[in-house]
């Protein structure tokens, strides 16, 4: 076998310099699509510090990544989260833990034990979420659920900005693999958005930090370590920041390590305690289990500020109340192995980046779980007592970075937004990519931590003289045998003559891989585009886009009906208050007054028992017209 590795640097390999063109302002948002919470931000042109975190309808700056299906409606975000205990089987959370994964994946199998909702295996081993919605069984892919969350964030932004938004930058954990990135991009497309770029969460946080340094006019190189410990994932990145150039040196982490795992440990502990005390099993009681989970999460959060938390749940099961105590010491003992795993990743990332820990200037904390005192203590100790940087908001930094990146990609004019001028971001691949060669040996074509975008070509000889077709199986991972790595896909190169084939790996700015192979001897064989069976086809995506539009229309219809009902009741109350006003009421004849009072009362009674889910908006409007016909002549007579 002969192997030559030719490295063709892409013209943009040294980072993507942003072009600024003077044109009408295009607004693009940044969405941090989290496992547990999502956050949306907008960068508007103007002076410094113009990233705005957009509040949702309840005034919160983060929104639960949660979708619920009921007998009458679909709820996304706060509305879904608030009814989770009543409707655990049809309330979906943690979709990010399913995205781009196979059903048989051990992580998926383990997570399923903690989820009250049903997940089954679909085509190509894809996980499918099954719910009951409006009396019917419905199936959804994880990317459809995520697209509903993205749509909600888009709407939140549109209400705030007052116009429609078409473009977005979405963030993913740095350690997300190709399939997870691709599927996240699909989720954005299904939500009706153009995903301008997928960027890594710790890189996004570093962009936000880089801008902060620029704003404060800090000059000189800084070595920054980003520690991102959220609800579902754990990411670390070592970066160099130098006057607006953000350059990733190494990344690491675990796509399955976060606050949700901590919750699982606490729930297991207290479910066992409940069983021991009362002989009752919560495992088969989805409502009781969910209430226990919510109580455990609350206790965990409290322990970040106090040393003892009480878990107090009325009537958990069959009228039995539960009271448990969780000291900070016990909490730390139960979860220590997870915290230590985090520190191991920190150490490995520094080794990968070939940087000694005393050379790190700032340790930036991102993600809700970094509020845990023990995590902060271990990290501080690891960095020999260094103070941790809390200048960025742990819940908002990622969305801020995504919004800054979105503004840059929109071509924000350097005149309008001088601070974004010369801002350059250089990221790397988190995992090695290669093909199976010589009975399952991983032949690496793009080593991990290669700066992206990149293109690398490797040549292989064909083993047999009579071979006319070759199969190219593509893998990602660090193990020497492909069976221990993650299989991405396979393609066949047909009609070749025995000789060399050139395999080209092309990775774009989103970190997405495109593989082509070419037979060099006759030179006629065109390259083939790599696709992955487990990813959705264009046809499937088109169908999901169509379904998303149907859901949006249903939501609009629902709102129209609810507004019509509310409009009728408000009108009726307004009339009643008017005639009850002493000055006005005395001018009415008693028969007139009675007629209006009766009509108003009838309408209010009717509206009270009439559902806005099953009754069309025009029926409420008709009732309003009838009331207007009675009231308007009297109103005119009174000169109101
Ligand atoms: P993601 O981006 O993965 O959704 P976030 O960064 O929003 O995650 O963090 C959410 C996680 O942080 C949840 O698991 C939540 O329980 C945890 N969390 C939030 N506040 C605290 C706190 N005060 N103490 C401990 N954990 C917290
Ligand atoms: Mg996050």
């Amino acid at each position: 076998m002969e192997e030559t590795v030719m490295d063709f640097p892409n013209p943009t390999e040294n980072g993507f310099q942003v072009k600024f063109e003077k044109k009408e302002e295009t607004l693009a948002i940044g969405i941090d699509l989290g496992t547990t919470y999502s956050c949306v931000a907008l960068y508007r042109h103007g002076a410094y510090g113009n990233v705005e975190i957009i509040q949702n309808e309840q005034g919160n700056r983060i929104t639960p990544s949660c979708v619920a299906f009921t007998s009458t409606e679909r709820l996304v975000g706060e509305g879904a989260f608030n009814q989770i205990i009543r409707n655990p089987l049809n309330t979906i959370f943690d979709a990010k833990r399913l995205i781009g994964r196979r059903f048989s994946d051990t992580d998926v199998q383990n997570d399923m034990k903690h989820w009250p909702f049903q997940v089954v295996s679909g085509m190509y081993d894809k996980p499918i979420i099954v719910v009951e919605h409006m009396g019917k069984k419905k199936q959804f892919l994880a990317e459809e659920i995520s697209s509903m969350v993205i749509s909600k964030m888009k709407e939140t932004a549109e209400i705030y900005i007052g116009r429609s938004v078409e473009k977005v930058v979405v963030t993913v954990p740095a350690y997300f693999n190709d399939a997870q990135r691709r599927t996240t991009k699909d989720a954005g497309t299904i939500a009706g958005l153009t995903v301008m770029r997928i960027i890594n969460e710790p890189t996004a946080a570093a962009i936000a930090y880089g801008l902060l340094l620029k704003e404060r006019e800090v000059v000189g190189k800084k070595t920054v370590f980003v520690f991102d410990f959220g609800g579902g994932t754990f990411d670390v990145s070592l970066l160099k920041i130098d006057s607006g150039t953000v350059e990733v040196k190494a990344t690491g982490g675990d796509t399955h390590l976060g606050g949700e795992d901590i919750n699982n440990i606490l729930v297991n502990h207290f479910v066992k305690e409940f069983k021991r005390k009362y002989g009752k099993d919560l495992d088969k009681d989805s409502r009781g289990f969910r209430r226990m989970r919510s109580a455990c999460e609350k206790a965990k959060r409290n322990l970040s500020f106090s040393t003892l938390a009480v878990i107090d749940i009325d009537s958990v099961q069959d009228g039995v109340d539960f009271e448990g105590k969780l000291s900070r010491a016990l909490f730390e003992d139960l979860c220590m192995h997870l915290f230590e795993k985090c520190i191991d990743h920190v150490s490995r990332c520094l080794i990968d980046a070939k940087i000694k820990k005393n050379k790190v200037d700032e340790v930036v904390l991102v993600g809700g779980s970094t509020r845990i005192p023990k995590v902060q203590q271990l990290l501080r100790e690891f960095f020999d007592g260094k103070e941790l940087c809390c200048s960025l908001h742990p819940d908002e930094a990622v969305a801020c970075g995504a919004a800054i990146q979105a503004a840059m990609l929109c071509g924000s004019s350097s005149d309008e937004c001088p601070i974004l001028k010369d801002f350059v971001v250089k990221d790397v691949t988190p995992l090695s990519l290669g093909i199976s060669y010589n009975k399952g040996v991983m032949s690496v074509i793009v080593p991990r931590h290669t700066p992206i975008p990149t293109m690398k070509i490797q040549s292989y000889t064909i083993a047999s003289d009579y071979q006319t077709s070759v199969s190219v199986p593509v893998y990602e991972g660090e193990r020497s045998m492909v069976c221990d790595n993650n299989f991405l896909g396979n393609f066949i190169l047909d009609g070749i003559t025995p000789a060399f084939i050139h395999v080209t790996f092309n990775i774009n700015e989103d970190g997405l891989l495109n593989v082509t192979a070419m037979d060099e001897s006759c030179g006629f064989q065109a390259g083939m585009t790599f696709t992955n069976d487990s990813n959705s086809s264009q046809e499937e995506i088109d169908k999901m886009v169509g379904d998303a539009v149907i859901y949006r229309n249903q939501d609009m219809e629902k709102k129209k009906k609810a507004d019509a009902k509310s409009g009728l009741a408000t009108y009726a109350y307004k009339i009643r208050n008017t005639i009850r006003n002493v000055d006005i009421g005395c001018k009415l004849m008693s028969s007139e007054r009675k007629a209006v009072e009766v009509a108003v009362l009838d309408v209010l009674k009717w509206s009270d028992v009439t559902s806005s889910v099953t009754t069309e908006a025009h029926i409420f409007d008709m009732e309003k017209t009838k009331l207007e016909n009675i009231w308007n002549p009297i109103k005119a007579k009174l000169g109101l």
Side-chain angles (χ1 to χ4, degrees):
M1 142 96 198
E2 281 181 44
E3 243 180 71
T4 25
V5 181
M6 290 173 281
D7 194 353
F8 291 100
N10 190 302
T12 50
E13 186 158 337
N14 295 324
F16 37 93
Q17 183 82 38
V18 183
K19 271 196 205 137
F20 294 96
E21 287 163 19
K22 185 98 184 161
K23 57 181 169 193
E24 201 189 290
E25 188 183 53
T26 320
L27 289 183
I29 51 173
I31 296 180
D32 166 13
L33 181 65
T35 312
T36 44
Y37 290 95
S38 294
C39 183
V40 58
L42 170 74
Y43 188 96
R44 280 213 247 218
H45 308 149
Y48 293 161
N50 276 351
V51 186
E52 297 165 283
I53 297 289
I54 305 172
Q55 297 180 5
N56 66 21
E57 74 272 28
Q58 305 227 351
N60 295 326
R61 294 159 75 90
I62 53 174
T63 299
S65 306
C66 193
V67 179
F69 300 89
T70 76
S71 55
T72 54
E73 60 188 333
R74 181 191 65 147
L75 299 159
V76 188
E78 303 277 357
F81 190 73
N82 291 341
Q83 54 84 74
I84 196 163
I85 289 170
R86 269 180 285 127
N87 182 25
L89 301 183
N90 302 305
T91 305
I92 315 302
F93 54 94
D94 277 0
K96 189 169 168 181
R97 287 203 145 175
L98 280 175
I99 215 158
R101 287 187 190 263
R102 296 190 167 87
F103 178 77
S104 54
D105 186 324
T106 22
D107 282 340
V108 170
Q109 290 300 313
N110 284 335
D111 278 337
M112 277 170 58
K113 293 183 197 139
H114 298 278
W115 290 330
F117 51 87
Q118 194 189 1
V119 182
V120 297
S121 174
M123 284 240 288
Y124 304 115
D125 200 22
K126 268 192 208 178
I128 297 192
I129 299 153
V130 185
V131 294
E132 198 171 303
H133 181 37
M134 306 217 272
K136 284 193 191 129
K137 281 249 178 268
K138 287 258 170 85
Q139 298 194 333
F140 295 100
L141 293 173
E143 52 266 42
E144 280 182 279
I145 301 293
S146 291
S147 80
M148 293 173 191
V149 177
I150 294 178
S151 273
K152 181 77 189 175
M153 304 316 285
K154 171 181 185 267
E155 268 169 38
T156 301
E158 285 174 340
I159 291 168
Y160 174 74
I161 301 167
R163 57 183 248 210
S164 70
V165 172
E166 282 93 32
K167 292 181 176 178
V168 68
V169 167
V170 182
T171 60
V172 292
Y175 232 57
F176 250 24
N177 66 24
D178 192 79
Q180 291 168 307
R181 282 166 199 272
R182 239 170 245 280
T183 319
T184 304
K185 199 164 186 184
D186 289 347
T189 312
I190 297 165
L193 282 160
T194 302
V195 181
M196 289 192 295
R197 185 150 304 161
I198 295 283
I199 61 168
N200 292 332
E201 285 159 14
T203 311
I207 293 173
Y209 188 66
L211 191 69
L212 194 81
L213 293 181
K214 255 195 144 188
E215 282 170 9
R216 292 181 182 170
E217 293 173 11
V218 176
V219 284
K221 253 192 184 174
K222 274 207 181 265
T223 304
V224 176
F225 192 88
V226 178
F227 183 95
D228 182 353
F229 193 21
T233 56
F234 173 65
D235 277 291
V236 285
S237 277
L238 193 281
L239 307 100
K240 297 257 181 191
I241 301 181
D242 188 4
S243 17
T245 299
V246 176
E247 188 179 359
V248 182
K249 290 294 178 190
T251 64
D254 188 332
T255 50
H256 204 280
L257 176 59
E260 293 286 281
D261 301 287
I262 298 173
N263 298 348
N264 291 344
I265 290 174
L266 301 182
V267 172
N268 283 346
H269 176 82
F270 284 107
V271 164
K272 273 194 207 141
E273 188 172 317
F274 188 67
K275 198 169 183 178
R276 211 173 44 241
K277 276 191 182 162
Y278 304 102
K280 291 184 177 294
D281 197 352
L282 277 182
D283 278 335
K284 290 175 194 71
D285 171 5
S286 49
R287 241 182 218 228
F289 192 85
R290 183 66 226 182
R291 293 182 67 200
M292 180 64 92
R293 201 183 163 82
S294 301
C296 285
E297 198 198 343
K298 208 165 138 199
K300 172 187 78 172
R301 288 176 183 248
N302 285 341
L303 285 179
S304 294
F305 310 99
S306 59
T307 51
L308 183 72
V310 178
I311 292 178
D312 198 357
I313 321 170
D314 287 345
S315 185
V316 188
Q317 199 180 40
D318 306 330
V320 176
D321 300 342
F322 178 72
E323 196 188 295
K325 285 196 172 61
L326 182 64
S327 67
R328 193 188 273 180
L330 174 61
F331 168 73
E332 290 172 355
D333 188 54
L334 288 171
C335 304
M336 199 57 175
H337 62 289
L338 297 187
F339 304 157
E340 281 169 349
K341 245 185 176 178
C342 296
I343 302 298
D344 284 349
H345 283 294
V346 176
S347 161
R348 238 175 289 154
C349 183
L350 288 172
I351 294 170
D352 281 346
K354 298 184 187 70
I355 285 178
K356 291 211 171 66
K357 56 185 175 181
N358 60 0
K359 294 280 178 273
V360 172
D361 298 309
E362 288 291 358
V363 180
V364 176
L365 298 183
V366 184
S369 299
T370 57
R371 292 191 176 95
I372 297 170
K374 192 72 190 175
V375 171
Q376 295 191 4
Q377 184 201 330
L378 292 174
L379 196 58
R380 214 178 286 122
E381 280 168 11
F382 177 86
F383 283 101
D384 302 324
K386 187 172 185 56
E387 266 321 301
L388 309 173
C389 166
C390 297
S391 319
L392 295 182
H393 194 298
D395 298 332
E396 300 172 1
V398 171
C400 282
I404 296 164
Q405 177 74 87
M408 281 158 47
L409 291 169
C410 269
S412 305
S413 151
S414 49
D415 300 338
E416 288 163 357
C417 204
I419 196 138
L420 290 189
K421 194 171 163 257
D422 303 329
F423 218 91
V424 179
V425 183
K426 303 175 189 177
D427 217 321
V428 295
T429 52
L431 296 161
S432 298
L433 293 152
I435 64 170
S436 169
Y437 178 75
N438 202 6
K439 298 199 173 63
V441 172
M442 173 85 172
S443 169
V444 172
I445 296 181
V446 182
R448 79 193 171 116
H449 297 153
T450 300
I452 54 167
T454 188
M455 185 171 81
K456 295 209 183 247
I457 301 179
Q458 190 150 326
S459 304
Y460 295 88
T461 45
I462 307 292
S464 156
D465 281 353
Y466 304 104
Q467 201 169 344
T468 56
S469 133
V470 65
S471 156
V472 184
V474 181
Y475 289 85
E476 65 189 353
E478 309 315 314
R479 305 285 293 273
S480 56
M481 301 303 290
V482 290
C483 58
D484 298 318
N485 288 333
N486 184 31
F487 174 66
L488 290 179
N490 193 24
F491 65 84
I492 313 279
L493 191 61
D494 258 332
I496 55 163
T497 50
F500 285 112
I501 61 158
H502 295 310
V503 179
T504 306
F505 274 41
N506 210 325
I507 304 178
N508 69 9
E509 289 94 340
D510 291 332
L512 295 180
L513 173 68
N514 191 316
V515 182
T516 53
M518 207 171 75
D519 164 19
E520 73 129 29
S521 61
C522 54
F524 87 103
Q525 178 68 55
M528 290 178 68
T529 304
F530 162 82
T531 53
N532 184 340
D533 280 347
S534 65
N535 276 113
S536 301
S537 65
Q538 189 56 47
E539 211 173 294
E540 285 169 315
I541 291 175
D542 289 346
K543 185 183 172 298
M544 289 188 269
V545 171
D547 288 349
V549 173
I550 294 172
Y551 279 118
R552 268 201 293 278
N553 290 344
Q554 276 177 0
D555 287 352
M556 266 158 60
E557 192 57 30
K558 194 187 97 198
K559 189 170 179 302
K560 208 169 123 190
K561 289 174 180 179
D563 286 349
K565 178 176 167 166
S566 163
L568 172 64
T570 309
Y571 183 62
Y573 280 120
K574 200 172 144 194
I575 298 173
R576 195 159 81 174
N577 288 342
T578 311
I579 58 172
R580 283 184 182 178
N581 177 304
V582 188
D583 297 337
I584 298 170
C586 67
K587 293 183 195 156
L588 283 171
M589 285 177 4
S590 68
S591 59
E592 281 172 336
R593 188 187 163 113
K594 190 146 189 230
V596 177
E597 283 267 15
V598 168
V600 164
L601 197 65
D602 282 352
V603 158
L604 287 175
K605 271 191 191 159
W606 176 81
S607 152
D608 221 27
V609 295
T610 308
S611 157
S612 67
V613 176
T614 49
T615 312
E616 294 300 327
H618 74 264
I619 306 284
F620 292 107
D621 292 342
M622 253 165 54
E623 289 301 315
K624 193 172 170 211
T625 312
K626 277 194 220 159
L627 203 53
E628 278 168 352
N629 290 342
I630 298 172
W631 175 238
N632 280 348
I634 298 172
K635 196 173 140 194
K637 204 172 116 189
L638 291 170
L640 294 173

